[in-house]
Amino acid sequence: MEHWNVLLVSHVVAALFVLVIGPGQILRRRRDRIHRTMGYLWIAAMYYVCLSSFWIVSGGHFSWLHGLSAFTLVTVTLGLVSAIRRNIPAHRGNMVGSYLGTAIAFGFAVAVPGRAIPRLLAADPGTAVFVAALVAGSVAAVYLSLFRGALSGGLNANGRRGAQCARDP
């Protein structure tokens, strides 16, 4: 892979999205509609990152990162199934493990010389910072939108309509 193309850029943006959403999902105390909505976005981005990685190869060969992608597809799916079945310890373990694996893969993608991200950082650090800020801002906007919807008259944090006032019929 010698140059940036739509597949590589979309893969990097989705991976950054996963990395930015992850801590909020893991550290947030409430497991409510906001957690579920952001979780579905996180899962969709994880599937995209993992599946798109199979078309990003160096010299026509897969690397150990592709093995991690295959493993992550399994763990994310197990985490989703566990959440649906309300097996919270299994859900938490699979999702935290998937996030940590993605963070480790990102570390290697950034740190290994000759890969696309280090070349971009060396050649055009402004673009790299802009993309990272854009992704972080997008995630912040989605969270704010969900929080505002929960706090205003829309659906509350439990996914129900706002509480009725005692005066209302």
Side-chain angles (χ1 to χ4, degrees):
M1 184 96 203
E2 294 301 321
H3 62 283
W4 287 87
N5 60 34
V6 173
L7 176 65
L8 185 57
V9 170
S10 63
H11 174 84
V12 169
V13 168
L16 288 173
F17 189 74
V18 163
L19 290 170
V20 172
I21 289 178
Q25 289 295 93
I26 293 168
L27 300 174
R28 193 161 175 266
R29 296 188 76 152
R30 296 195 58 184
R31 306 300 188 214
D32 53 11
R33 180 181 64 91
I34 295 168
H35 177 82
R36 285 189 306 275
T37 302
M38 293 305 288
Y40 287 130
L41 292 172
W42 187 85
I43 288 170
M46 281 295 286
Y47 281 145
Y48 182 79
V49 168
C50 292
L51 292 172
S52 66
S53 74
F54 294 110
W55 282 267
I56 301 172
V57 293
S58 295
H61 302 292
F62 288 129
S63 72
W64 66 272
L65 289 171
H66 295 96
L68 181 60
S69 288
F71 182 72
T72 301
L73 284 170
V74 172
T75 59
V76 168
T77 302
L78 289 173
L80 176 60
V81 169
S82 296
I84 291 168
R85 292 182 176 170
R86 305 226 186 271
N87 183 351
I88 303 308
H91 168 69
R92 185 179 299 118
N94 280 298
M95 294 311 194
V96 169
S98 297
Y99 177 79
L100 292 175
T102 302
I104 291 167
F106 178 75
F108 279 105
V110 170
V112 174
R115 295 190 56 92
I117 293 174
R119 287 195 316 259
L120 173 67
L121 289 171
D124 192 3
T127 297
V129 169
F130 175 75
V131 169
L134 189 63
V135 169
S138 299
V139 169
V142 171
Y143 266 119
L144 279 173
S145 163
L146 290 170
F147 279 119
R148 289 189 61 151
L151 295 176
S152 66
L155 297 178
N156 64 21
N158 295 323
R160 297 186 184 99
R161 287 276 165 211
Q164 292 279 330
C165 180
R167 299 180 303 226
D168 293 341

